[in-house]
Amino acid sequence: MTSRDMLVGGGATLRLEDALRRVLDGWSALPAEEVGPDEALGQVLAAPVVASTSLPPWDNSAMDGYAVRSADVAHASPGTPVRLRVLGEVAAGHVPPRAVTPGSALRIMTGAMVPEGSDSIVPVEDTDAPPGVAELPGVVGIRAPAPPGANVRSAGEDVRSGALVLAAGRLVGPAAIALAAAAGAARVSVHRRPRVGILATGDELMPAGTPLPPARIHDSNTPALLAQARASGAVATSFGIAPDEPASLRERLATAVAESDVVVLSGGVSVGAHDHVRDAFSSLGTVDFWRVAIQPGKPLAFGRTLAGRAGDRTDPDRPVALFGLPGNPVSAFVTFELFVRPLLRLLLGEQPREGVPGARRRVRGTLTEAVSKAPGRRAFLRVRVETDPSRPDGLVVRPAGAQGSHVLSALAAADGLAIVPEELPGLPAGGEVDVLMLEGEGA
Ligand code: AMP
Ligand code: MG
């Protein structure tokens, strides 16, 4: 990129879609790694998972009861119970002690192997044996028939050994983890998690949890951005708080770049006398743009560099994304949502939905009150989405509080971001509005 390109690219105020396209351009999913199924939560499979065992692996009982021969009990009824000799018991995790022969039964527990000779299970409720008693009866009265296969979970009925159970590209959630583990996978191949470095800037900031001297505030962006990065599937690390001083900011930024795939700064990105983030980006790499027509979050810098520029000798050509988010906590939160999360999901290998990896579910509802916004910018309003008492499948959208970009209480009260288009001055009460749902973020 020439310095003229940088000027042009860096100077314009971009529409959201154009800015997002520039952020996402040129990246691909990170290399694959092998991890235990439970570690893969939120990652995307780089290779399919193939069952190394059938599910169930062998015929087993779906009930606590008696393993019988179906022919023996075909005419059983409460009035004319069929009496069978009880030859022993088979519990889950134990091999049956013997086969079932005509006129006999084995007591069996849920999940235990169906013994040789037996083709059906009579639930204990359909016998005269009291349930939950440890002592084995010598004879059991069967009060109902159990046709062939009754209450038997047969080998391979869920999954056959060798079958593809999870396709490459699949997002791994708890259910996929259960299936992979049951089907015998010790490791699964997933795109590795991006490493995200978080760096706060501002002389006013004190680490969260420490006493506040005059004129200082707690750094809430670092804990919030760490949480957002982790909720997006990344491994996130804080690189502390940089003062509003160019040299130390550059130094901390370089440290973060050397150890990260994506570096997320907050604060110092606007046109204040002490805003040095864009200069720090330029000294280490590029600034692709720094203004987006959104509210909150208009000053938002994005740039790129290579790890080698920050002194990484082991992998100098590794590309690193640089985000300079606005300092106001709500702006930082919303711009992470809109720009950083999609890039993280792209790096994790997630396929785009509506053109955006990791796109949030959208719902449409009716505003409970009028809202206004800045002209020319797309607004993202903190709202609560509720079911409409007057329409069974309708939703109402209620502003969650004051919309200033410093108002964290309204962010914490919100479960969605309502989108008001650039060209509108606002929306009236009763107006229809799209909402991005902030699911899984503790909303
Ligand atoms: P700036 O973008 O640096 O001009 O900051 C805008 C506003 O956000 C100021 O009120 C800052 O004090 C506040 N701010 C900046 N960084 C943080 C942070 N890490 N945590 C909480 N507030 C912040
Ligand atoms: Mg600042």
Side-chain angles (χ1 to χ4, degrees), residues 201-205 244 266-269 274-275 327:
T201 73
D203 286 351
E204 72 279 31
L205 300 178
D244 289 318
S266 63
V269 79
H274 303 286
D275 290 342

Side-chain angles (χ1 to χ4, degrees), residues 381-402:
L381 308 176
R382 282 145 278 165
V383 294
R384 282 208 72 79
V385 177
E386 297 156 9
T387 51
D388 184 344
S390 62
R391 290 181 303 149
D393 53 353
L395 296 173
V396 292
V397 178
R398 188 181 304 284

Side-chain angles (χ1 to χ4, degrees), residues 200-202 204-205 217-222 241 244 266-270 272 274-275 299 325-329 406 408:
T201 73
E204 72 279 31
L205 300 178
I217 61 168
H218 285 131
D219 167 17
S220 61
N221 288 350
T222 293
I241 299 168
D244 289 318
S266 63
V269 79
S270 192
H274 303 286
D275 290 342
L325 307 186
N328 271 310
H406 60 293
L408 276 174

Side-chain angles (χ1 to χ4, degrees), residues 175-260:
I177 290 170
L179 181 56
R187 315 285 281 170
V188 295
S189 174
V190 286
H191 295 286
R192 80 165 171 82
R193 297 183 188 276
R195 292 168 303 161
V196 175
I198 306 290
L199 177 56
T201 73
D203 286 351
E204 72 279 31
L205 300 178
M206 293 289 290
T210 57
L212 285 183
R216 311 291 290 272
I217 61 168
H218 285 131
D219 167 17
S220 61
N221 288 350
T222 293
L225 295 168
L226 285 170
Q228 285 182 286
R230 288 173 187 148
S232 302
V235 175
T237 309
S238 167
F239 287 85
I241 299 168
D244 289 318
E245 191 274 310
S248 34
L249 176 59
R250 266 203 310 275
E251 196 180 307
R252 281 195 191 244
L253 176 62
T255 308
V257 165
E259 295 176 32
S260 311

Side-chain angles (χ1 to χ4, degrees), residues 116-202:
E116 280 295 308
S118 165
D119 64 347
S120 67
I121 309 295
V122 179
V124 68
E125 293 82 357
D126 289 342
T127 73
D128 62 7
V133 172
E135 201 188 327
L136 201 62
V139 172
V140 66
I142 305 292
R143 294 173 165 158
N151 302 309
V152 174
R153 305 188 289 209
S154 51
E157 114 184 0
D158 183 5
V159 169
R160 293 211 172 272
S161 178
L164 185 153
V165 289
L166 296 167
R170 158 86 189 225
L171 179 61
V172 179
I177 290 170
L179 181 56
R187 315 285 281 170
V188 295
S189 174
V190 286
H191 295 286
R192 80 165 171 82
R193 297 183 188 276
R195 292 168 303 161
V196 175
I198 306 290
L199 177 56
T201 73

